[in-house]
Each structure stands twice: as C-alpha cells, then as structure tokens.
Amino acid sequence: MVTTNWNRRHILSLADFTAAEYDTVLQTAASFREVLGRRTKKVPALQGQVVANLFFEPSTRTRNSFELAAKRLSADTLNFAPGTSSLTKGETILDTAKTYLAMGTDMMVIRHREAGVPLAIASEMDRLNTQVAILNAGDGQHEHPSQGLLDLFTICRVFDPENPRLDLLRGKKIAVVGDILHSRVARSNIWSLTATEMELHLAGPPTLLPKWFAGLGSDRPGKLFLHWSLDEALADADFVMTLRLQKERMTNYLLPSLREYHQLYGMTTERLKLCRPDVKILHPGPVNRGVEISSELMDNPDRSLISQQVTNGIAVRMALLYLIGVGKGG
Ligand code: CP
C-alpha cells in the first residue's frame, strides 16, 4: 500500500492537488480495487475510526460509496439525513457538525447545495484545533473532488489497470460535453485532467459554457479548449464525458427543448463515429437517458465506462479515507 508523503487532511478541492498526490491516490486506489475483487473485501485499516456522512442534498452514488468505502476499511459509520435531523428544529449546520465532533467523529463527508459549506466546516474544525478531516462530497456548482479522482482513475485504468498514473494520459484527448456551467464535476475534472498532458475539450451551448472557462487551465500541463459546436470537440477523441443538465441549479437560463438539446449536444452511437474507433464514454451520473446520452450508447458495454466509474468510486473513496485516516495515526 502506498502511504508516502501524504500530508493533506481536508479534501475540499482539486485545484491545488500536486502530480505526486494524484499518483498516490491512483496507486492506493488500485490496491483497493484489487481488494474489492477478493472474496473477503474488508481490511482493518481504520478500525476504531468514525466516518460521518453529512449529506444535506440528495445522492445515491457518492453517499453509498463513501459509506461502503468506510465499512470496507472497518471504520464505524454515521449517516445524517437532514429531513429527520435536528436541522428541522433550527439547529445550524455548524452546530450539527460540532455535535458529530462531540461523538468522536474522525472524518466528515459533506454534501451541500451551497458552494463553500465543506470549507466553512473545515475552517471551524481547524479553529477549534481538532484533527477532524472534512471531505467535500459536492458543494453547489463549486467542486466534487472524489468524482474528479474516480474519473481520472477510471480513465487511467483503461491503459494500465494495475498501475494507473498520470503519465499514461500524455497526448490523449477527452471531450467533456453538456452543462459545464452548473457542473461541480466539470470543475474538479478541469483541475484533474489539466494536471495531465491531455487535451481537454469542453463543449456545450454558449449559455452553459461561458468564455471565462478558457482561462482556468492556462498555467497547467494539459491544454484546455472551448467549443460551442459538439462535432469539433469530438474529432478523434479518446474519451467523451457527458454531463446532465443540472436544472436544480439553473435560475434564468433559457434552454432549448430537451429534444432540441439532444439533437445538438446529445451523445449517440452515430456521433461517436467522429471520435477514435476505441473511444470510451463516461458520465458521473445520475443520467437523464435520451437527453445528454442515448440509451443505446449508455448501455453499450464496449463503449460505456459508467458502471466502472461507480465501482471505481468505492476504491478511490477507500484510498482517500485510508490516506487521511492512516495519516491521523489510525
Ligand atoms: N455523481 C454523483 O455525485 O452522483 P450522486 O448524486 O448519486 O452522488
């Protein structure tokens, strides 16, 4: 197991992740991916530690895979459900976090519809001089770091499942397509994928892909391009990541009809012909079938990595909990 030089406690953003940190997460996750293939999938690494999932916004994949990851590492888990919690009686989010702290929680996994909530809780934990680690499980349209890492892991595994690492992606091309503006997944992927020497092509309608995105990757090893025409972005792509229209975060954006959107920006088997013959499709989920991707393509086992993303998510989240938890002396 790789544990060298891991000094990061909170995981709030991928913006300042170093190449060495990415490779450490990838290699640690590869070890856990192998463990998940065994008959006995549990290891004692975090025995006695407490991981609390504080999800103030709905989730299927992230919440359950963080819980399963913690259980596979033998940690105790607590699951917070806002609708049945004392939030409904007026308790604040910070007081909720302090309540979990008082129960001896070591790591808190936070999802919230507002950007910055995980940072606010991390700052409070630091101010109180605690060793509690905060993991951002998606905050508004800011970031979703564990999703960015599991996407990177899934892409690297296509080339070397046993030894995934950044240098495998040199010269590869990925198109990220759809509602970039409202996507925290796209933000985290911009940081992780431009940390490699890949070409990252963002594509979407101008209302969902403002020009200022072009400035995000300028000082990084990868090259970032913007396209309002999907066909340009897809030319010779090795990977295509499609994104859901995140209507829950849209305020005053006028969208074409979903049918028109699918015609202009939906991924289909026909459109895939523009890409490399061995192109692979990713989607962070949840998917709106027939809008950003056709059902036929989503269910094509030769093209779709969507199920692998879910499985890999457990291994990557095990890696994060392990690296942080062992670093805390667990
Ligand atoms: N990708 C993702 O965050 O999915 P969930 O909302 O189901 O957690």
Side-chain angles (χ1 to χ4, degrees):
M1 195 67 62
V2 182
T3 55
T4 48
N5 299 327
W6 189 264
N7 298 315
R8 190 180 290 266
R9 182 154 52 91
H10 307 308
I11 309 279
L12 302 172
S13 162
L14 297 185
D16 62 347
F17 251 57
T18 64
E21 285 179 309
Y22 282 116
D23 277 334
T24 299
V25 172
L26 293 171
Q27 286 161 38
T28 310
S31 302
F32 286 126
R33 190 69 171 72
E34 187 271 316
V35 170
L36 291 175
R38 291 184 199 160
R39 189 180 165 85
T40 303
K41 298 175 171 60
K42 216 161 168 156
V43 294
L46 297 189
Q47 216 156 33
Q49 294 207 30
V50 178
V51 177
N53 279 321
L54 278 65
F55 278 62
F56 299 87
E57 192 191 58
S59 166
T60 297
R61 292 152 201 75
T62 314
R63 191 179 68 76
N64 286 298
S65 63
F66 261 117
E67 181 177 357
L68 193 53
K71 286 180 167 162
R72 295 282 188 239
L73 293 166
S74 304
D76 296 317
T77 54
L78 297 171
N79 281 308
F80 164 86
T84 54
S85 76
S86 288
L87 269 190
T88 59
K89 302 173 198 163
E91 188 161 67
T92 67
I93 292 173
L94 285 184
D95 283 337
T96 300
K98 283 187 235 176
T99 303
Y100 279 91
L101 170 67
M103 289 180 198
T105 299
D106 297 282
M107 293 181 247
M108 295 184 198
V109 182
I110 315 276
R111 170 171 288 193
H112 200 282
R113 66 185 164 82
E114 298 294 340
V117 169
L119 171 63
I121 296 175
S123 303
E124 182 66 2
M125 291 299 136
D126 292 347
R127 192 186 68 76
L128 295 172
N129 224 6
T130 80
Q131 286 305 303
V132 172
I134 304 299
L135 290 91
N136 178 2
D139 61 333
Q141 58 194 58
H142 172 229
E143 277 214 47
H144 194 343
S146 64
Q147 182 73 45
L149 292 167
L150 79 87
D151 293 338
L152 182 68
F153 181 64
T154 302
I155 292 169
C156 290
R157 281 189 92 246
V158 168
F159 303 106
D160 191 342
E162 267 85 49
N163 189 13
R165 55 194 192 277
L166 295 187
D167 68 34
L168 293 168
L169 303 186
R170 187 172 300 133
K172 305 295 180 195
K173 172 174 175 178
I174 183 167
V176 178
V177 179
D179 181 4
I180 310 286
L181 179 63
H182 299 102
S183 175
R184 54 196 176 205
V185 175
R187 301 286 198 294
S188 290
N189 272 305
I190 287 170
W191 299 131
S192 58
L193 298 173
T194 58
T196 74
E197 290 178 41
M198 281 189 107
E199 281 190 13
L200 171 56
H201 294 254
L202 304 179
T207 47
L208 300 177
L209 179 55
K211 278 186 191 163
W212 59 259
F213 271 93
L216 289 183
S218 54
D219 57 345
R220 302 172 70 85
K223 289 193 170 59
L224 185 75
F225 303 88
L226 264 55
H227 305 272
W228 294 330
S229 150
L230 179 54
D231 291 359
E232 280 174 21
L234 296 183
D236 295 323
D238 299 279
F239 299 93
V240 180
M241 181 182 295
T242 57
L243 299 171
R244 184 174 62 87
L245 291 169
Q246 286 133 105
K247 291 186 217 135
E248 70 274 25
R249 293 189 206 112
M250 292 184 190
T251 47
N252 50 5
Y253 287 94
L254 292 176
L255 276 172
S257 71
L258 294 184
R259 199 166 149 269
E260 195 183 341
Y261 180 83
H262 182 68
Q263 279 169 358
L264 289 171
Y265 293 101
M267 276 310 300
T268 60
T269 305
E270 184 60 28
R271 273 227 159 92
L272 221 56
K273 291 177 184 162
L274 297 166
C275 307
R276 284 180 53 87
D278 52 355
V279 64
K280 302 287 185 198
I281 301 287
L282 298 105
H283 192 307
V287 175
N288 286 152
R289 286 174 180 264
V291 181
E292 68 271 17
I293 184 169
S294 68
S295 266
E296 181 195 28
L297 184 52
M298 179 177 170
D299 295 334
N300 182 341
D302 295 330
R303 296 283 149 249
S304 173
L305 297 177
I306 296 172
S307 295
Q308 289 189 37
Q309 286 173 276
V310 175
T311 308
N312 292 338
I314 304 166
V316 166
R317 289 170 177 130
M318 285 176 81
L320 293 176
L321 296 173
Y322 172 85
L323 289 166
I324 297 167
V326 167
K328 280 155 52 58

